[in-house]
Amino acid sequence: MPERAPLLLLDVGGTDIKAAVARGAGRELGPALRRGVLAHADASGDALVGQLAGIAEEVLDGERPGAAALLLPGIVDTARRRAVFSANLGLRDAAVPDALSARLGVPLAFGHDVGTAAEAELAEGAGRDGAACTLAVVIGTGIAATAFVEDTRVDVPGAGELGHVPVPGGLACSCGATGCLETIASAAGIARAYERLSGTPVPGAKQVLERAQAGDPAAVAAWDQAVEALAFALHWSVGLLGVDRVIVGGGLSEAGEELLAPLRRALAARLSFMPLPTIVPARLGGDAGLVGARLLALALEASLASEDSA
Ligand SMILES: [Zn+2]
């Protein structure tokens, strides 16, 4: 059996690009390289393709990959292989995947950053554990969610914008709407809520939790408001889809049971006849996107091999 070529993995988020190479017999994920996105008003994606090509060269260190995978944020259309819309990167109906594939001369799989990370969480992280409908929620600077019916992701362009549904107490949002969940329940939203209530700046949600544990009433109020808002949004998800498993990831999930235990209680208090879903922490952490990109690249490689042998 010939030596298998490495896989090039690129995970582009709203502010950062993570890159890694999977090498060796099992194509294990190598260490991740992280770079800030250089162009933020790049409708065509040309600047992003240029930066990604440079990062690929750096991380590959002269090796030639057999396949690659690229993840992009915002609204992506994987069937048409286009970045439809990205608020943070400025992409508008940009053919980034095919442009990068041509530039690198490598077949390239394409996925959504949050959706692909959620697929990795189901396949190699927190898992499905027999659930009929799983919702993977990522709570960081913003909030996004990915739904699965058994092992199949609900992969529709624009799906998963749980952070931009209205909740009681929600505020004016950068998306243009008012009342969005993430204005009060994301890590950034919790920190801002504390600042509004206390008049005191705080570095992030972690410090709000620490102050809440120490009995600071403004911190308790900001944290409780976030938990109630998350429970409100999950109640809708349970009612609409019959969600029976919720996986909570992203920066805020580092709070662990300090977040999940009150969230279970708040959701249980809201649900009347609907069963309470299990609520568990994500397992893969910040590299979930690269783990998912590896799965996409492996699937692409397998489909190319079966075409070759056909
Ligand atoms: Zn919004």
Side-chain angles (χ1 to χ4, degrees):
M1 194 166 176
E3 177 77 7
R4 306 184 81 181
L7 305 170
L8 170 66
L9 312 171
L10 298 162
D11 177 10
V12 182
T15 53
D16 281 331
I17 298 169
K18 277 179 263 175
V21 177
R23 294 186 174 90
R27 255 79 67 81
E28 299 86 2
L29 194 62
L33 180 83
R34 187 189 282 256
R35 294 283 181 272
V37 173
L38 294 178
H40 285 280
D42 178 27
S44 69
D46 290 349
L48 180 63
V49 169
Q51 188 185 4
L52 289 171
I55 289 171
E57 198 173 315
E58 189 177 348
V59 77
L60 283 164
D61 197 23
E63 285 183 279
R64 181 162 179 76
L70 169 69
L71 312 185
L72 292 178
I75 298 176
V76 306
D77 187 334
T78 49
R80 290 174 55 239
R81 291 172 67 83
R82 294 183 93 88
V84 177
F85 175 87
S86 165
N88 286 311
L89 306 180
L91 301 172
R92 300 287 183 275
D93 200 31
V96 174
D98 287 344
L100 182 63
S101 179
R103 175 95 170 240
L104 298 173
V106 173
L108 181 137
F110 174 47
H112 182 244
D113 63 342
V114 175
T116 304
E119 286 183 358
E121 219 22 271
L122 235 67
E124 299 189 6
R128 174 157 79 87
D129 196 28
C133 182
T134 304
L135 192 70
V137 185
V138 180
I139 311 172
T141 311
I143 297 177
T146 308
F148 293 83
V149 178
E150 298 189 338
D151 292 309
T152 305
R153 173 156 68 98
V154 178
D155 184 9
V156 177
E161 297 291 350
L162 192 67
H164 299 281
V165 299
V167 295
L171 303 170
C173 181
S174 58
C175 77
T178 297
C180 295
L181 173 65
E182 67 179 44
T183 63
I184 55 171
S186 67
I190 291 170
R192 283 196 302 269
Y194 176 77
E195 290 175 13
R196 274 193 310 278
L197 291 165
S198 68
T200 311
V202 69
K206 185 169 182 279
Q207 288 75 19
V208 178
L209 177 59
E210 286 165 5
R211 290 176 194 199
Q213 287 165 333
D216 178 339
V220 171
W223 194 262
D224 287 352
Q225 176 181 249
V227 168
E228 285 299 326
L230 289 167
F232 183 94
L234 288 180
H235 189 179
W236 273 91
S237 307
V238 173
L240 185 64
L241 295 168
V243 169
D244 55 354
R245 182 173 179 80
V246 179
I247 301 172
V248 182
L252 199 67
S253 70
E254 287 164 22
E257 285 301 305
E258 299 292 340
L259 172 67
L260 301 187
L263 184 57
R264 286 185 203 106
R265 284 196 296 273
L267 183 57
R270 288 176 178 278
L271 296 170
S272 50
F273 64 93
M274 292 177 243
L276 179 69
T278 56
I279 301 181
V280 298
R283 292 263 183 84
L284 296 179
D287 283 342
L290 291 172
V291 175
R294 176 180 171 275
L295 295 174
L296 286 185
L298 285 169
L300 173 63
E301 185 186 58
S303 76
L304 293 172
S306 69
E307 274 173 32
D308 281 353
S309 63

